[in-house]
C-alpha cells in the first residue's frame, strides 16, 4: 500500500518537473526570438546609419568641390573686377567714352600688344600718336600688357591719349614639345584675351593689331579705313594687312598697288568681330600666326596686302630672337607717300574681279625659262614670269633673287594661287608661277 503511494507521488513530481521544464524552454525560446528580432533591427538600423553617413560624406565632398570651384571663380571675378575698375577709371579720366560715343562710331580699335620692352613700346606709341591724334575718334588706342612689368605699365598709364589693359595669367605653361619657348604660348594666350576684351566686352566691330616694336606710315589709318570697306563688302577676305613679306626696298616701288594673298602676312592687321567670333573658340595654344596660315583655319579666304609696307618692324630683339631680322626685316621700306585712299577705286580687289585683274597682269608678263633666271629677267624690259616645278625649285629661284623662300601648308609667303610677285631692279614685275597657277587664273600658257 505504502509502495503504491510512493510510486504515485514520484509520477506526480515527474509530471510537474516536465511541465516546469517545458515552461522554462518556452520562455527561453520567446526571449531568444525577441533578442534575435532586436538584433536584426539593430543591424538594420546600423546599416541604414552607415548608408546615411556615406551619403552625407558624398554630399560634403560635393559641397567641398563646389566651394573650391566657387573660390576659384571668385578669384577670377575679383581679378576681372579690378581690371574693369581700372579700365573704367582710365576711360572716365581720359574721356574716351565721350570721344567714342558722342563724336562717331570708330572704324576700328587699335591695340598694341606689349610685354616687357618699355623702350620699344615708347617708340611705337610716339609713331602711332603722330598720325592717330587727328583721327582718334575713329581709331581709339589701347595698350594691352601681358604681365606686370612696372616700366611698361608706368609708361602706358602716362599717356592720356590711350587706354591701358593688363593681362595677368598665372596658369602654368605646358609646352607640347621639348625645347619650345614658353613665350609663344604666353603670346597666344595674351592675343586671345585682348581680342576677346575688345570684341566681346567693348563691342568694337573691327580691331587693328600692332606689336610693341612697330612704326606706322603716314597713310596707315586711311589705308585701313579703305580696307574696312573691303572687309565689309567681301566675306572672302579674312583680314587686311599692312605688311608685305617681300617688301624690302629692292623689291617694291608702287605705293598704290594692293594684292590679294593666300598667305597671312601679320605684322599690323585688321579683322572683324564676326571673324573673331569664329576663331576665338578654337584659338591655338601657341604659334597663332602659323595657325592662321593653315588652310583648315582660313578656309580658302584671303588677305589684302600692300606692295609697300605701312608698318616697319624694328624689333631686332624679342621672342623670335632676331630671326631673319638683318636679311628680311631691317631692309623693309616703310611707305613715305601720302596716298589718298578715299579717292581710289579698290573694287578690283573684290573676289569676283581680282582673278581677271591679276590674270591679265600675269598674261602680259613675258615667260622666261631655263637657268640664270635673274640674268634673263634683268635683260628684259617689262614684266616677266618664271614657272617653278615644285617647292624645291621655288626655293632655288627665290634664293637667287633674294626673296623669302619659306612655305606654310603648301603656300609660299605672299603668294596668290601659287604666284609670288615682286619688283626687280626697276618697275619690272617678276611673277614666280606654280605649275597650276595659269589654269586657276584662266590664262593660256603661251
Amino acid at each position: 500500500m505504502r509502495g503504491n503511494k510512493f510510486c504515485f507521488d514520484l509520477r506526480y513530481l515527474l509530471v510537474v518537473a516536465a511541465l516546469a521544464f517545458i515552461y522554462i524552454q518556452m520562455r527561453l525560446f520567446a526571449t531568444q526570438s525577441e533578442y534575435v528580432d532586436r538584433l536584426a533591427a539593430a543591424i538594420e538600423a546600423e546599416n541604414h546609419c552607415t548608408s546615411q553617413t556615406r551619403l552625407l560624406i558624398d554630399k560634403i565632398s560635393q559641397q567641398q568641390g563646389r566651394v573650391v570651384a566657387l573660390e576659384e571663380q571668385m578669384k577670377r571675378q575679383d581679378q576681372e573686377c579690378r581690371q574693369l575698375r581700372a579700365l573704367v577709371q582710365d576711360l572716365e579720366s581720359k574721356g574716351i567714352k565721350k570721344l567714342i560715343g558722342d563724336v562717331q562710331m570708330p572704324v576700328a580699335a587699335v591695340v598694341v600688344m606689349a610685354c616687357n620692352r618699355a623702350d620699344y613700346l615708347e617708340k611705337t606709341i610716339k609713331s602711332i600718336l603722330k598720325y592717330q591724334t587727328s583721327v582718334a575718334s575713329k581709331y581709339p588706342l589701347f595698350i594691352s600688357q601681358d604681365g606686370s612689368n612696372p616700366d611698361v605699365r608706368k609708361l602706358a598709364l602716362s599717356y592720356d591719349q590711350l587706354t591701358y589693359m593688363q593681362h595677368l595669367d598665372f596658369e602654368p605653361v605646358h609646352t607640347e614639345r621639348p625645347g619650345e619657348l614658353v613665350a609663344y604660348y604666353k603670346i597666344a594666350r595674351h592675343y586671345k584675351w585682348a581680342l576677346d576684351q575688345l570684341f566681346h566686352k567693348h563691342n568694337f566691330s573691327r580691331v587693328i593689331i600692332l606689336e610693341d616694336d612697330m612704326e606706322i606710315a603716314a597713310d596707315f589709318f586711311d589705308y585701313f579705313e579703305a580696307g574696312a570697306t573691303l572687309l565689309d563688302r567681301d566675306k572672302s577676305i579674312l583680314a587686311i594687312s599692312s605688311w608685305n613679306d617681300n617688301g624690302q626696298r629692292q623689291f617694291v616701288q608702287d605705293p598704290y598697288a594692293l594684292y590679294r594673298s593666300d598667305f597671312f602676312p601679320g605684322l599690323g592687321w585688321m579683322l572683324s568681330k564676326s571673324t573673331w567670333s569664329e576663331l576665338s573658340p578654337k584659338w591655338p595654344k601657341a604659334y597663332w600666326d602659323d595657325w592662321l596660315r593653315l588652310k583648315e583655319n582660313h578656309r580658302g579666304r584671303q588677305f589684302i596686302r600692300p606692295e609697300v609696307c605701312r608698318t616697319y618692324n624694328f624689333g631686332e630683339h624679342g621672342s623670335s630672337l632676331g630671326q631673319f631680322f638683318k636679311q628680311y626685316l631691317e631692309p623693309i621700306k616703310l611707305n613715305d607717300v601720302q596716298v589718298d585712299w578715299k579717292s581710289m577705286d579698290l573694287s578690283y580687289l573684290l573676289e569676283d574681279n581680282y582673278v581677271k585683274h591679276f590674270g591679265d597682269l600675269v598674261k602680259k608678263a613675258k615667260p622666261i625659262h631655263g637657268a640664270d633666271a635673274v640674268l634673263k629677267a634683268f635683260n628684259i624690259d617689262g614684266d616677266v614670269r618664271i614657272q617653278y616645278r615644285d617647292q624645291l625649285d621655288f626655293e632655288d629661284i627665290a634664293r637667287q633673287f633674294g626673296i623669302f623662300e619659306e612655305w606654310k601648308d603648301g603656300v609660299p609667303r605672299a603668294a596668290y594661287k601659287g604666284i609670288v610677285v615682286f619688283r626687280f631692279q626697276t618697275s619690272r614685275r617678276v611673277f614666280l608661277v606654280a605649275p597650276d597657277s595659269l589654269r586657276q587664273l584662266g590664262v593660256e600658257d603661251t
Side-chain angles (χ1 to χ4, degrees), residues 246-281:
N246 293 317
Q248 295 78 20
R249 293 180 183 87
Q250 66 271 32
F251 300 129
V252 299
Q253 188 177 76
D254 186 358
Y256 298 89
L258 303 180
Y259 297 88
R260 291 179 76 110
S261 174
D262 297 307
F263 192 99
F264 172 62
L267 295 177
W269 56 290
M270 177 174 67
L271 79 165
S272 67
K273 184 177 182 178
S274 60
T275 299
W276 179 247
S277 296
E278 171 198 335
L279 298 176
S280 177

Side-chain angles (χ1 to χ4, degrees), residues 196-399:
D196 279 343
Q197 293 282 315
L198 293 169
F199 279 122
H200 298 151
K201 290 198 173 183
H202 297 287
N203 204 31
F204 287 106
S205 58
R206 305 175 204 89
V207 174
I208 298 170
I209 301 100
L210 294 169
E211 296 171 16
D212 63 353
D213 54 1
M214 290 182 177
E215 294 177 292
I216 66 171
D219 65 341
F220 176 89
F221 293 108
D222 288 343
Y223 168 77
F224 274 108
E225 187 163 358
T229 302
L230 289 171
L231 203 58
D232 292 344
R233 288 181 64 185
D234 189 345
K235 298 307 177 184
S236 71
I237 299 173
L238 187 66
I240 309 292
S241 176
S242 59
W243 184 261
N244 174 13
D245 283 306
N246 293 317
Q248 295 78 20
R249 293 180 183 87
Q250 66 271 32
F251 300 129
V252 299
Q253 188 177 76
D254 186 358
Y256 298 89
L258 303 180
Y259 297 88
R260 291 179 76 110
S261 174
D262 297 307
F263 192 99
F264 172 62
L267 295 177
W269 56 290
M270 177 174 67
L271 79 165
S272 67
K273 184 177 182 178
S274 60
T275 299
W276 179 247
S277 296
E278 171 198 335
L279 298 176
S280 177
K282 56 182 182 179
W283 194 249
K285 295 180 180 179
Y287 310 106
W288 65 267
D289 48 352
D290 282 342
W291 178 83
L292 267 180
R293 291 164 183 148
L294 298 177
K295 294 172 184 175
E296 65 188 75
N297 295 318
H298 62 70
R299 297 192 305 171
R301 289 167 292 184
Q302 293 160 340
F303 309 90
I304 302 297
R305 67 163 181 86
E307 178 172 316
V308 182
C309 291
R310 265 59 188 185
T311 47
Y312 179 80
N313 188 306
F314 58 82
E316 183 173 3
H317 305 290
S319 296
S320 297
L321 305 178
Q323 184 183 25
F324 306 132
F325 181 82
K326 289 293 183 183
Q327 183 176 358
Y328 296 113
L329 300 183
E330 192 174 49
I332 288 288
K333 176 178 174 56
L334 179 64
N335 178 56
D336 54 7
V337 177
Q338 185 64 54
V339 176
D340 182 12
W341 290 105
K342 293 178 182 178
S343 66
M344 292 191 64
D345 180 8
L346 301 180
S347 60
Y348 72 92
L349 289 165
L350 298 174
E351 183 178 29
D352 293 339
N353 302 332
Y354 192 73
V355 171
K356 184 179 185 310
H357 166 80
F358 193 71
D360 288 344
L361 295 178
V362 176
K363 184 177 181 179
K364 293 174 183 176
K366 184 175 181 179
I368 59 177
H369 306 278
D372 300 323
V374 175
L375 181 61
K376 289 178 181 177
F378 182 78
N379 290 325
I380 293 175
D381 292 329
D383 296 347
V384 299
R385 70 174 189 253
I386 305 168
Q387 183 169 313
Y388 59 89
R389 295 183 300 274
D390 51 29
Q391 182 174 345
L392 287 176
D393 193 32
F394 173 89
E395 291 172 353
D396 180 59
I397 298 170
R399 195 177 302 115

